[in-house]
């Protein structure tokens, strides 16, 4: 069992996130890391199968075993699709000599200067200038990664390769050799020629979808592994366990995404505490994505509108208790607070709120001080307090929420206090941005957002651990509430450090691929 746990930890916690980032960056190392992950995962499955064959099944019909096999086949299918992508849709912009393949080449100003020195007749309008990948470099001149990461280029390359997957005019195209064996490479090339265009599109969609969802699958697998190994969530306690796991998991991932925003992820949407890039720098689809605060408010609204019907599920058919009514009230608060947050983010609502001055604004030429009608600088950036306010109130409620034991009460107080800390840190962020609104497309990285992510990640983990079965196990083994708190703080700090390393790896892969692209064109990097 220890071998199974160790192998799965290496596969899902260390190799998989690195593999996903390399895949998103379209690195040549992506396939190698995917194969490494599959091998480590297969060894873990083999050891687990041997262990299960020699021991009685103490948790019959558990989800962990079934989901583990399903995800294994999903990953294997992605590896196969990845192989075909290298031949069917592998003739990317970095591997062709066509001039149009450089249209959306993300690069730095220094690199573009070198390019135009070698190609003086090229039109500047054909190239996008960008200085930051959102991965975090120290100076503007050294930001050779794209502000949008690799997503725009990825979409352009994929779309171009899908539209022409079997072009016969492949002179000058360097086809990737995966195995280094002529027979194997020729076999894949021949097989790829029989794939129709709709199939290649489905392959692309499947590959990208797995990249997006596989980390969440990994989180669910690790969590169900703990549940199965601990033998918890049996009988009607499964409702309490699911509630804590799902809700705590949402806050946990919210914290990971918040840390990603601070590092510069989603800068193309204006989510990295930066000015949203306009159409021309990003695609029109990305320019229409709502603000991060709108998404936060929508998730809060969605939770409140659905969970209000589930709070009595564990006691279905029984009498409503005061605790049930408390939980329903919290759901209603989420419903109303999320709705208020979405309304605040609506530009139409803002225009209507300014309606009393609109008739004067229409005839402003007749009045002096025309500059007084200019929109305030704070209008250019979203500062919506409702998501933080709702989580602040939730933290205050849970900090004083009566439980069946002192240990359970203290554990709930811990994650409730951490959520209060998140809200206060987010308030500091809004104060900083109100005093000095972002004026650049580059991430501003307010330091208070590091605190918000730490509070959300650790609070989410303790939220998961505050279920009845885990607390009962702590009491049986004479463990107090401080045990779970200290362990969670250590794991949170390590998780944040690992996330920073993984995203930095993506930035390195993007830069490495750009240097390879420049070298293939004879352009100095």
């Amino acid at each position: 069992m220890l071998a199974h746990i160790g192998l799965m930890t290496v596969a899902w916690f260390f190799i998989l996130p690195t593999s996903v980032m390399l895949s998103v960056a379209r690195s040549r190392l992506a396939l190698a890391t995917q194969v490494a992950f599959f091998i480590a995962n297969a060894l873990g499955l083999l050891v687990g199968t041997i262990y299960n064959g020699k021991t009685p099944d103490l948790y019959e019909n558990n989800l962990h075993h079934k989901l583990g096999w399903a995800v294994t086949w999903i990953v294997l299918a992605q590896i196969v699709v990845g192989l075909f992508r290298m031949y069917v849709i592998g003739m990317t912009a970095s591997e062709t000599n066509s001039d149009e393949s450089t249209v959306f080449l993300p690069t730095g100003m220094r690199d573009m200067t070198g390019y135009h020195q070698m190609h003086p007749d090229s039109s500047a309008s054909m190239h996008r200038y960008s200085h930051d990948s959102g991965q975090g470099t120290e100076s503007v001149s050294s930001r050779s990664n794209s502000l949008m990461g690799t997503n725009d280029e990825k979409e352009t390359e994929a779309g171009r390769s899908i539209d022409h997957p079997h072009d016969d005019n492949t002179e000058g195209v360097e086809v990737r050799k995966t195995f280094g064996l002529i027979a194997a490479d020729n076999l894949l090339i021949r097989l790829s020629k029989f794939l129709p265009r709709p199939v290649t599109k489905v392959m692309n969609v499947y590959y990208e979808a797995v990249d997006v969802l596989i980390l969440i699958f990994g989180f669910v697998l690790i969590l169900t592994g703990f549940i199965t190994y601990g033998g918890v969530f049996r009988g009607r306690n499964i409702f309490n366990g699911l509630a804590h796991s799902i809700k705590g998991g949402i806050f946990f991932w919210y914290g990971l995404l918040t840390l990603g925003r601070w590092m510069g992820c989603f800068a193309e949407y204006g989510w990295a505490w930066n000015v949203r890039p306009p159409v021309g720098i990003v695609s029109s689809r990305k320019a229409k994505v709502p603000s991060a605060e709108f998404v936060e408010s929508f998730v809060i609204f969605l939770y409140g509108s659905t969970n209000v019907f589930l709070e009595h599920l564990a006691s279905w058919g029984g009498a409503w208790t005061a605790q049930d009514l408390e939980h329903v009230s919290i759901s209603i608060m989420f419903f109303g607070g999320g709705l208020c947050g979405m309304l605040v983010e609506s530009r139409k609502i803002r225009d209507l709120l300014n309606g009393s001055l609109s008739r004067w604004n229409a005839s402003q030429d007749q009045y002096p001080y025309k500059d007084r009608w200019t929109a305030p600088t704070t209008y250019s950036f979203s500062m919506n307090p409702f998501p933080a306010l709702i989580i602040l109130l939730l933290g205050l409620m849970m900090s004083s929420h009566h439980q069946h034991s002192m240990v359970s009460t203290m554990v709930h107080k811990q994650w409730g206090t951490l959520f209060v800390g998140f809200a206060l840190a987010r308030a500091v962020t809004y104060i900083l941005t109100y005093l000095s609104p972002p004026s650049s497309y580059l991430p501003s990285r307010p330091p208070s957002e590091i605190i918000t992510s730490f509070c959300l990640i650790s609070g989410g983990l303790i939220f998961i651990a505050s279920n009845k079965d885990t607390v009962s196990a702590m009491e049986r083994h004479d463990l107090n509430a401080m045990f779970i708190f200290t362990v969670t703080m250590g794991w949170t700090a390590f998780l944040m450090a690992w996330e920073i390393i993984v995203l930095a790896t993506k930035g390195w892969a993007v830069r490495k691929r750009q240097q390879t692209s420049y070298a293939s064109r004879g352009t100095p990097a």
Side-chain angles (χ1 to χ4, degrees), residues 21-92:
M21 291 300 105
L22 292 176
S23 178
V24 171
R26 299 183 68 83
S27 170
R28 294 173 181 263
L29 299 175
L31 185 61
T33 55
Q34 289 171 349
V35 173
F37 164 75
F38 182 79
I39 293 174
N41 183 69
L43 290 175
L45 281 175
L46 176 62
V47 173
T49 302
I50 295 174
Y51 175 83
N52 290 335
K54 293 184 177 181
T55 57
D57 190 357
L58 301 179
Y59 205 130
E60 296 182 359
N61 201 30
N62 66 81
L63 177 64
H64 182 68
H65 293 166
K66 300 175 182 178
L67 187 61
W69 283 106
V71 173
T72 299
W73 287 109
I74 290 173
V75 172
L76 178 60
Q78 188 193 31
I79 293 175
V80 174
V81 170
L83 281 173
F84 279 100
R85 277 165 59 98
M86 299 183 75
Y87 291 90
V88 182
I89 51 182
M91 295 180 289
T92 60

Side-chain angles (χ1 to χ4, degrees), residues 319-378:
W320 282 71
T321 64
Q323 193 174 53
D324 291 334
L325 295 175
E326 290 176 6
H327 290 169
V328 169
S329 299
I330 293 175
S331 297
I332 295 174
M333 178 187 72
F334 269 65
F335 174 83
L339 182 59
C340 287
M342 289 191 294
L343 292 175
V344 168
E345 289 299 307
S346 172
R347 294 182 180 179
K348 183 64 176 178
I349 294 296
R350 292 180 185 179
D351 292 339
L352 293 176
L353 294 177
N354 291 333
S356 59
L357 292 175
S358 60
R359 62 189 182 93
W360 301 103
N361 188 17
S363 56
Q364 59 177 300
D365 292 338
Q366 302 176 10
Y367 297 91
Y369 311 112
K370 298 178 182 179
D371 58 324
R372 300 291 176 86
W373 295 99
T374 304
T377 56
T378 53

Side-chain angles (χ1 to χ4, degrees), residues 393-407:
L393 295 175
L394 175 66
L396 292 174
M397 293 173 184
M398 290 299 105
S399 297
S400 57
H401 195 38
H402 178 71
Q403 300 295 320
H404 64 280
S405 69
M406 180 57 68
V407 173

Side-chain angles (χ1 to χ4, degrees), residues 133-134 147-148 264-272 274-277 441 443:
S133 66
L147 171 67
M148 291 67 65
C265 296
F266 316 110
E268 65 270 30
Y269 306 130
W271 290 10
N274 62 316
V275 175
R276 180 195 294 269
Y441 298 145

Side-chain angles (χ1 to χ4, degrees), residues 278-337:
V279 178
I281 297 180
V282 298
S283 63
S284 59
R285 179 181 62 84
K286 290 185 177 182
K288 296 177 182 179
V289 172
S291 65
E293 284 73 15
F294 182 91
V295 175
E296 291 175 346
S297 299
F298 174 75
V299 173
I300 291 174
F301 168 80
L302 183 64
Y303 168 83
S305 60
T306 56
N307 203 65
V308 68
F309 303 104
L310 303 177
E311 291 297 349
H312 192 60
L313 191 62
S315 302
W316 191 260
W320 282 71
T321 64
Q323 193 174 53
D324 291 334
L325 295 175
E326 290 176 6
H327 290 169
V328 169
S329 299
I330 293 175
S331 297
I332 295 174
M333 178 187 72
F334 269 65
F335 174 83

